[in-house]
Amino acid sequence: EPEVTQTPSHQVTQMGQEVILRCVPISNHLYFYWYRQILGQKVEFLVSFYNNEISEKSEIFDDQFSVERPDGSNFTLKIRSTKLEDSAMYFCASRESSGRFTGELFFGEGSRLTVL
Amino acid sequence: GESVGLHLPTLSVQEGDNSIINCAYSNSASDYFIWYKQESGKGPQFIIDIRSNMDKRQGQRVTVLLNKTVKHLSLQIAATQPGDSAVYFCADGGSYIPTFGRGTSLIVHP
């Protein structure tokens, strides 16, 4: 069964350092998302990406965040200068289309980011 | 505010019992809903979906009921097993940006 894969599974970094989280969405999917989940809290939307550009972003997704699809398979989330409050589980998700009744998101296993 | 949300943060059941997890939504135009399950340390996984032209949909051991009059849906799990222990979320599947409520944590006691 096709799946979304994420690397690394866990990253520990010092405050102020840059971090890149990587995702390989399902190959025939067209819509890509990043969500985050702070420990014990709900899954929060960060950004959506379609046709090589950001289509929507939340208030959380400020100038410190960026996304890229550098090739035909990878989808990355970069945090330029990490803060303590960036510590969370980051989930990548993909979706075949945004048409009605095709709403299922396929999530990866997540990348746990710990900022010290 | 959230367009979908769950009623109870935690539900404890005995193994073998049936579980019912509830969810309310506010947008009367919403016409497609998805239930996700998130096990500890993992990403959310699709369980079952329902369109607004249906009141009920059954899967394997799971049933989703949709009451459009009161904008409420529920997820019923039959013969709950320890492997069902997880956080359950409902989401507006027709939304371009699926958003999740806080979820209900289902705890199954052996």
Side-chain angles (χ1 to χ4, degrees):
Chain A
E1 186 175 319
E3 59 180 14
V4 175
T5 58
Q6 289 185 241
T7 54
S9 56
H10 188 193
Q11 180 152 358
V12 181
T13 190
Q14 294 291 324
M15 192 169 55
Q17 295 296 304
E18 176 183 282
V19 161
I20 297 177
L21 305 178
R22 292 182 168 79
C23 170
V24 179
I26 295 173
S27 61
N28 65 332
H29 285 189
L30 301 176
Y31 296 83
F32 313 117
Y33 303 80
W34 282 101
Y35 286 79
R36 82 169 185 192
Q37 186 176 33
I38 294 172
L39 187 64
Q41 298 189 24
K42 65 180 181 179
V43 177
E44 300 175 289
F45 168 74
L46 291 178
V47 65
S48 61
F49 193 88
Y50 170 70
N51 199 27
N52 286 319
E53 61 182 23
I54 291 173
S55 44
E56 296 284 342
K57 60 183 180 179
S58 70
E59 293 176 352
I60 302 168
F61 195 87
D62 61 22
D63 292 344
Q64 293 299 314
F65 291 88
S66 63
V67 289
E68 206 174 40
R69 188 155 163 82
D71 53 44
S73 58
N74 290 285
F75 178 50
T76 62
L77 174 69
K78 182 193 289 186
I79 308 174
R80 256 179 226 100
S81 178
T82 50
K83 304 186 286 287
L84 295 176
E85 54 265 38
D86 293 328
S87 295
M89 183 75 96
Y90 289 81
F91 292 107
C92 174
S94 69
R95 188 180 202 177
E96 188 173 2
S97 83
S98 69
R100 295 173 77 74
F101 309 126
T102 58
E104 182 184 352
L105 286 177
F106 290 81
F107 283 86
E109 294 281 283
S111 292
R112 179 168 297 285
L113 176 64
T114 301
V115 182
L116 303 176
Chain B
E2 296 174 355
S3 61
V4 287
L6 288 148
H7 289 177
L8 291 175
T10 304
L11 176 65
S12 290
V13 300
Q14 290 295 127
E15 181 178 358
D17 287 353
N18 296 332
S19 303
I20 300 175
I21 300 170
N22 297 302
C23 182
Y25 61 96
S26 58
N27 185 359
S28 56
S30 296
D31 56 5
Y32 176 53
F33 301 93
I34 303 176
W35 280 97
Y36 288 89
K37 171 185 180 183
Q38 185 180 23
E39 296 178 45
S40 180
K42 296 187 176 182
Q45 290 180 296
F46 171 90
I47 304 173
I48 191 168
D49 57 2
I50 188 167
R51 301 182 188 182
S52 62
N53 61 350
M54 305 168 72
D55 296 322
K56 179 179 178 178
R57 188 162 189 222
Q58 286 186 291
Q60 188 178 15
R61 283 200 307 116
V62 295
T63 301
V64 57
L65 300 178
L66 176 62
N67 185 330
K68 295 178 286 294
T69 303
V70 295
K71 297 200 282 285
H72 178 274
L73 63 158
S74 66
L75 177 72
Q76 300 179 359
I77 305 173
T80 315
Q81 301 168 2
D84 295 326
S85 292
V87 179
Y88 291 81
F89 302 92
C90 60
D92 182 343
S95 170
Y96 177 63
I97 306 296
T99 57
F100 301 87
R102 293 194 178 276
T104 292
S105 177
L106 177 64
I107 300 170
V108 182
H109 300 283

